[in-house]
Amino acid sequence: EQLKGAVTFEHVSFRYPGMSTYVLKDISFHIRPGETVAILGSTGAGKSSILQLIPRLYDPTEGAVYVDGMNLKDVKMDDLRKRIGFTPQESILFSGTVEENLAWGKSDATLSEMKAAAQDAQIHETITDLKDGYETKLGQKGINLSGGQKQRLSVARALIRKPNILILDDSTSALDLQTESKVLDAIDKYKCTLFIVTQKLSTAKRADKIMLIDDGKIIEEGTHDQLMNTSTLYREIAYS
Ligand code: DGT
């Protein structure tokens, strides 16, 4: 059964294993399939902690997370892995070729699937300009990519799976506005549910829902236009 990509948090509270303080406190929201959610908030607010619960890197301490109405605990991990694209804050690339790094997203990916994903992530031309193209070695034994190039490669790796739910945890922070906007235009065509942690107003403006997170709680939510009308805090962020 295919996931469609609705995501529901029901009274989710969370503390990291072995820690006594809650980093998420009674978070509830419902996201419809295909919606884009921009998550904003200061450092340590809990943005990454929320997102890690969706691919089940952790389970909620209290409350539950549902995808398409199913408690995540009842969804097979393999189905989740196939259907959720997740790029963590620090891109994880290993010493191998560009192709091997991309195939980590989908082990049976063909070269043309890799190229399509790389084009969407605006990294294909950078790759073809490298000495050995997709065969170029990265890391200790090869070349080093810039922060923004690593981020785009990580996004490409997540797109290869054609995920129903895509989670970009600050994975476009090093991209300029124009490149980020091209990547997001391409992601629109995947019709996936998108969670994106961002500090860019241009990205927040595109979102169906913006969530402002502070101290483990959702303190404001709405569209850009709604929050510009109702939230002093959002206006401060918008004008800063
Ligand atoms: P960022 O990434 O600096 O923009 O901040 P957020 O909003 O993503 O915050 P998050 O979720 O990384 O951190 C929320 C709180 O949880 C913060 O007090 C640090 C703590 N925390 C984050 N990751 C871990 C972890 O792996 N283990 C433990 N024990 N605490 C963590």
Side-chain angles (χ1 to χ4, degrees), residues 27-29 37-41 50 209-224 226-237:
I27 301 257
S28 295
F29 61 78
V37 186
I39 301 186
L40 279 71
I50 293 174
K209 184 180 260 180
I210 298 165
M211 289 185 201
L212 271 184
I213 311 296
D214 187 46
D215 191 26
K217 292 185 284 265
I218 301 175
I219 52 165
E220 303 277 7
E221 59 188 307
T223 62
H224 171 80
Q226 286 164 349
L227 292 182
M228 284 302 277
N229 278 321
T230 58
S231 167
T232 317
L233 185 62
Y234 186 74
R235 277 196 298 271
E236 275 171 24
I237 296 171

Short mmCIF file of all heavy atoms in Angstrom, two decimals, residues 27-29 37-41 50 209-224 226-237:
data_model
loop_
_atom_site.label_atom_id
_atom_site.label_comp_id
_atom_site.label_asym_id
_atom_site.label_seq_id
_atom_site.Cartn_x
_atom_site.Cartn_y
_atom_site.Cartn_z
N ILE A 27 3.17 18.70 21.07
CA ILE A 27 3.08 19.18 19.68
C ILE A 27 1.96 18.44 18.96
O ILE A 27 1.96 17.21 18.92
CB ILE A 27 4.41 18.92 18.93
CG1 ILE A 27 5.59 19.60 19.63
CG2 ILE A 27 4.28 19.25 17.46
CD1 ILE A 27 6.06 20.85 18.99
N SER A 28 1.02 19.19 18.37
CA SER A 28 -0.04 18.59 17.56
C SER A 28 -0.16 19.37 16.26
O SER A 28 -0.15 20.60 16.27
CB SER A 28 -1.39 18.64 18.28
OG SER A 28 -1.38 17.84 19.44
N PHE A 29 -0.25 18.65 15.15
CA PHE A 29 -0.54 19.30 13.87
C PHE A 29 -0.98 18.25 12.86
O PHE A 29 -0.77 17.05 13.07
CB PHE A 29 0.65 20.11 13.34
CG PHE A 29 1.91 19.31 13.06
CD1 PHE A 29 2.03 18.53 11.92
CD2 PHE A 29 2.99 19.36 13.94
CE1 PHE A 29 3.19 17.81 11.65
CE2 PHE A 29 4.16 18.64 13.69
CZ PHE A 29 4.26 17.87 12.55
N VAL A 37 5.53 22.52 4.33
CA VAL A 37 5.57 23.08 5.67
C VAL A 37 6.95 23.70 5.90
O VAL A 37 7.96 23.00 5.79
CB VAL A 37 5.37 21.97 6.73
CG1 VAL A 37 5.27 22.57 8.12
CG2 VAL A 37 4.16 21.13 6.40
N ALA A 38 6.97 24.97 6.21
CA ALA A 38 8.24 25.62 6.55
C ALA A 38 8.35 25.69 8.06
O ALA A 38 7.39 26.10 8.73
CB ALA A 38 8.31 27.02 5.95
N ILE A 39 9.49 25.25 8.58
CA ILE A 39 9.68 25.26 10.03
C ILE A 39 10.75 26.29 10.39
O ILE A 39 11.88 26.22 9.91
CB ILE A 39 10.06 23.85 10.52
CG1 ILE A 39 8.94 22.89 10.12
CG2 ILE A 39 10.29 23.83 12.03
CD1 ILE A 39 9.08 21.51 10.64
N LEU A 40 10.34 27.25 11.19
CA LEU A 40 11.24 28.33 11.58
C LEU A 40 11.40 28.33 13.09
O LEU A 40 10.48 27.93 13.81
CB LEU A 40 10.66 29.69 11.16
CG LEU A 40 10.84 30.17 9.71
CD1 LEU A 40 9.99 29.36 8.76
CD2 LEU A 40 10.47 31.64 9.60
N GLY A 41 12.52 28.81 13.56
CA GLY A 41 12.71 28.92 15.00
C GLY A 41 14.19 29.05 15.29
O GLY A 41 15.03 28.66 14.48
N ILE A 50 11.66 17.51 16.07
CA ILE A 50 10.35 17.20 15.48
C ILE A 50 10.53 16.31 14.25
O ILE A 50 9.90 15.27 14.11
CB ILE A 50 9.61 18.51 15.07
CG1 ILE A 50 9.23 19.33 16.29
CG2 ILE A 50 8.37 18.18 14.22
CD1 ILE A 50 8.62 20.69 15.97
N LYS A 209 1.97 26.01 5.01
CA LYS A 209 1.90 26.25 6.45
C LYS A 209 3.29 26.57 6.98
O LYS A 209 4.26 25.90 6.62
CB LYS A 209 1.34 25.02 7.16
CG LYS A 209 1.15 25.21 8.66
CD LYS A 209 0.59 23.97 9.31
CE LYS A 209 -0.91 24.10 9.52
NZ LYS A 209 -1.46 22.89 10.15
N ILE A 210 3.36 27.60 7.79
CA ILE A 210 4.61 27.93 8.48
C ILE A 210 4.39 27.59 9.95
O ILE A 210 3.33 27.90 10.51
CB ILE A 210 4.91 29.45 8.35
CG1 ILE A 210 5.11 29.82 6.88
CG2 ILE A 210 6.14 29.83 9.18
CD1 ILE A 210 5.06 31.32 6.63
N MET A 211 5.38 26.93 10.54
CA MET A 211 5.32 26.70 11.98
C MET A 211 6.50 27.41 12.62
O MET A 211 7.64 27.18 12.25
CB MET A 211 5.46 25.21 12.29
CG MET A 211 4.29 24.37 11.91
SD MET A 211 4.62 22.71 12.50
CE MET A 211 3.52 21.80 11.47
N LEU A 212 6.19 28.24 13.59
CA LEU A 212 7.25 28.89 14.36
C LEU A 212 7.44 28.09 15.64
O LEU A 212 6.48 27.91 16.41
CB LEU A 212 6.83 30.30 14.75
CG LEU A 212 7.13 31.45 13.80
CD1 LEU A 212 6.70 32.77 14.44
CD2 LEU A 212 8.62 31.49 13.50
N ILE A 213 8.64 27.59 15.84
CA ILE A 213 8.92 26.74 16.99
C ILE A 213 9.77 27.50 18.00
O ILE A 213 10.75 28.17 17.62
CB ILE A 213 9.71 25.46 16.56
CG1 ILE A 213 9.05 24.78 15.35
CG2 ILE A 213 9.88 24.49 17.73
CD1 ILE A 213 7.68 24.24 15.60
N ASP A 214 9.39 27.39 19.25
CA ASP A 214 10.22 27.96 20.31
C ASP A 214 10.10 27.08 21.55
O ASP A 214 9.00 26.68 21.91
CB ASP A 214 9.78 29.40 20.63
CG ASP A 214 10.74 30.06 21.61
OD1 ASP A 214 11.97 29.95 21.41
OD2 ASP A 214 10.26 30.67 22.58
N ASP A 215 11.24 26.78 22.14
CA ASP A 215 11.27 26.00 23.38
C ASP A 215 10.38 24.75 23.31
O ASP A 215 9.61 24.47 24.24
CB ASP A 215 10.85 26.92 24.55
CG ASP A 215 11.11 26.27 25.91
OD1 ASP A 215 12.01 25.41 25.98
OD2 ASP A 215 10.41 26.61 26.88
N GLY A 216 10.47 24.03 22.20
CA GLY A 216 9.78 22.75 22.08
C GLY A 216 8.29 22.83 21.81
O GLY A 216 7.59 21.83 21.89
N LYS A 217 7.82 24.04 21.51
CA LYS A 217 6.38 24.20 21.26
C LYS A 217 6.15 24.94 19.93
O LYS A 217 7.00 25.71 19.49
CB LYS A 217 5.72 25.01 22.39
CG LYS A 217 5.70 24.28 23.71
CD LYS A 217 4.94 25.07 24.78
CE LYS A 217 5.74 26.22 25.31
NZ LYS A 217 6.49 25.98 26.53
N ILE A 218 4.98 24.69 19.32
CA ILE A 218 4.59 25.48 18.15
C ILE A 218 3.97 26.76 18.71
O ILE A 218 2.93 26.70 19.38
CB ILE A 218 3.53 24.75 17.29
CG1 ILE A 218 4.08 23.41 16.79
CG2 ILE A 218 3.12 25.62 16.11
CD1 ILE A 218 3.07 22.57 16.04
N ILE A 219 4.63 27.89 18.46
CA ILE A 219 4.06 29.12 19.06
C ILE A 219 3.20 29.90 18.07
O ILE A 219 2.35 30.67 18.49
CB ILE A 219 5.15 30.01 19.70
CG1 ILE A 219 6.28 30.30 18.73
CG2 ILE A 219 5.69 29.37 20.97
CD1 ILE A 219 7.14 31.45 19.18
N GLU A 220 3.44 29.70 16.77
CA GLU A 220 2.58 30.34 15.77
C GLU A 220 2.47 29.40 14.59
O GLU A 220 3.44 28.72 14.25
CB GLU A 220 3.20 31.65 15.24
CG GLU A 220 3.54 32.69 16.28
CD GLU A 220 2.37 33.57 16.68
OE1 GLU A 220 1.23 33.28 16.25
OE2 GLU A 220 2.60 34.52 17.44
N GLU A 221 1.32 29.36 13.94
CA GLU A 221 1.24 28.65 12.66
C GLU A 221 0.25 29.31 11.73
O GLU A 221 -0.72 29.91 12.17
CB GLU A 221 0.94 27.16 12.84
CG GLU A 221 -0.32 26.80 13.55
CD GLU A 221 -0.40 25.29 13.83
OE1 GLU A 221 -0.23 24.50 12.88
OE2 GLU A 221 -0.62 24.93 14.98
N GLY A 222 0.55 29.23 10.45
CA GLY A 222 -0.31 29.85 9.44
C GLY A 222 0.48 30.06 8.17
O GLY A 222 1.65 29.67 8.10
N THR A 223 -0.17 30.69 7.20
CA THR A 223 0.57 31.03 5.98
C THR A 223 1.34 32.33 6.23
O THR A 223 1.10 33.02 7.23
CB THR A 223 -0.39 31.27 4.80
OG1 THR A 223 -1.22 32.38 5.16
CG2 THR A 223 -1.24 30.05 4.51
N HIS A 224 2.19 32.67 5.29
CA HIS A 224 2.94 33.93 5.38
C HIS A 224 1.99 35.12 5.56
O HIS A 224 2.16 35.94 6.46
CB HIS A 224 3.80 34.10 4.12
CG HIS A 224 4.44 35.44 4.00
ND1 HIS A 224 5.58 35.77 4.69
CD2 HIS A 224 4.08 36.55 3.31
CE1 HIS A 224 5.92 37.03 4.40
NE2 HIS A 224 5.02 37.51 3.57
N GLN A 226 -1.14 35.18 6.58
CA GLN A 226 -1.82 35.14 7.88
C GLN A 226 -0.90 35.63 8.99
O GLN A 226 -1.28 36.47 9.81
CB GLN A 226 -2.29 33.71 8.20
CG GLN A 226 -3.51 33.28 7.39
CD GLN A 226 -3.74 31.78 7.41
OE1 GLN A 226 -2.88 31.01 7.88
NE2 GLN A 226 -4.88 31.35 6.91
N LEU A 227 0.33 35.09 9.01
CA LEU A 227 1.23 35.44 10.11
C LEU A 227 1.68 36.90 10.04
O LEU A 227 1.89 37.54 11.07
CB LEU A 227 2.44 34.51 10.13
CG LEU A 227 2.13 33.05 10.50
CD1 LEU A 227 3.40 32.22 10.54
CD2 LEU A 227 1.41 32.97 11.84
N MET A 228 1.79 37.43 8.82
CA MET A 228 2.13 38.85 8.70
C MET A 228 1.05 39.71 9.37
O MET A 228 1.32 40.76 9.92
CB MET A 228 2.27 39.26 7.22
CG MET A 228 3.57 38.80 6.56
SD MET A 228 5.08 39.39 7.36
CE MET A 228 5.23 41.02 6.66
N ASN A 229 -0.20 39.22 9.30
CA ASN A 229 -1.30 39.95 9.93
C ASN A 229 -1.39 39.75 11.43
O ASN A 229 -1.75 40.66 12.16
CB ASN A 229 -2.64 39.51 9.31
CG ASN A 229 -2.90 40.23 8.01
OD1 ASN A 229 -2.61 41.42 7.89
ND2 ASN A 229 -3.42 39.52 7.03
N THR A 230 -1.08 38.50 11.86
CA THR A 230 -1.42 38.17 13.25
C THR A 230 -0.23 38.07 14.20
O THR A 230 -0.41 38.13 15.40
CB THR A 230 -2.15 36.81 13.30
OG1 THR A 230 -1.28 35.82 12.73
CG2 THR A 230 -3.46 36.84 12.52
N SER A 231 0.99 37.88 13.66
CA SER A 231 2.09 37.56 14.54
C SER A 231 3.18 38.64 14.56
O SER A 231 3.88 38.87 13.57
CB SER A 231 2.70 36.22 14.12
OG SER A 231 3.93 36.02 14.76
N THR A 232 3.31 39.28 15.71
CA THR A 232 4.37 40.28 15.88
C THR A 232 5.73 39.63 15.69
O THR A 232 6.62 40.19 15.04
CB THR A 232 4.31 40.88 17.31
OG1 THR A 232 2.96 41.13 17.62
CG2 THR A 232 5.13 42.14 17.42
N LEU A 233 5.85 38.42 16.27
CA LEU A 233 7.12 37.71 16.18
C LEU A 233 7.48 37.40 14.73
O LEU A 233 8.62 37.60 14.30
CB LEU A 233 7.01 36.41 16.99
CG LEU A 233 8.28 35.60 17.10
CD1 LEU A 233 9.35 36.39 17.83
CD2 LEU A 233 8.00 34.29 17.85
N TYR A 234 6.49 36.94 13.96
CA TYR A 234 6.76 36.62 12.55
C TYR A 234 7.14 37.88 11.78
O TYR A 234 8.05 37.87 10.97
CB TYR A 234 5.56 35.94 11.90
CG TYR A 234 5.88 35.47 10.49
CD1 TYR A 234 6.69 34.36 10.28
CD2 TYR A 234 5.41 36.17 9.38
CE1 TYR A 234 7.02 33.95 8.99
CE2 TYR A 234 5.73 35.76 8.09
CZ TYR A 234 6.53 34.65 7.90
OH TYR A 234 6.86 34.25 6.63
N ARG A 235 6.45 38.97 12.06
CA ARG A 235 6.80 40.23 11.38
C ARG A 235 8.23 40.63 11.71
O ARG A 235 8.97 41.09 10.84
CB ARG A 235 5.82 41.35 11.78
CG ARG A 235 4.52 41.32 10.96
CD ARG A 235 3.76 42.63 11.10
NE ARG A 235 3.34 42.90 12.48
CZ ARG A 235 2.20 42.49 13.01
NH1 ARG A 235 1.33 41.82 12.28
NH2 ARG A 235 1.90 42.76 14.27
N GLU A 236 8.63 40.42 12.97
CA GLU A 236 10.02 40.73 13.34
C GLU A 236 11.00 39.90 12.52
O GLU A 236 12.00 40.40 12.02
CB GLU A 236 10.25 40.46 14.84
CG GLU A 236 9.85 41.62 15.72
CD GLU A 236 9.90 41.24 17.21
OE1 GLU A 236 10.64 40.30 17.56
OE2 GLU A 236 9.19 41.89 17.99
N ILE A 237 10.68 38.59 12.37
CA ILE A 237 11.56 37.72 11.59
C ILE A 237 11.56 38.19 10.13
O ILE A 237 12.60 38.28 9.49
CB ILE A 237 11.08 36.24 11.67
CG1 ILE A 237 11.21 35.74 13.11
CG2 ILE A 237 11.88 35.35 10.72
CD1 ILE A 237 10.57 34.38 13.35
#
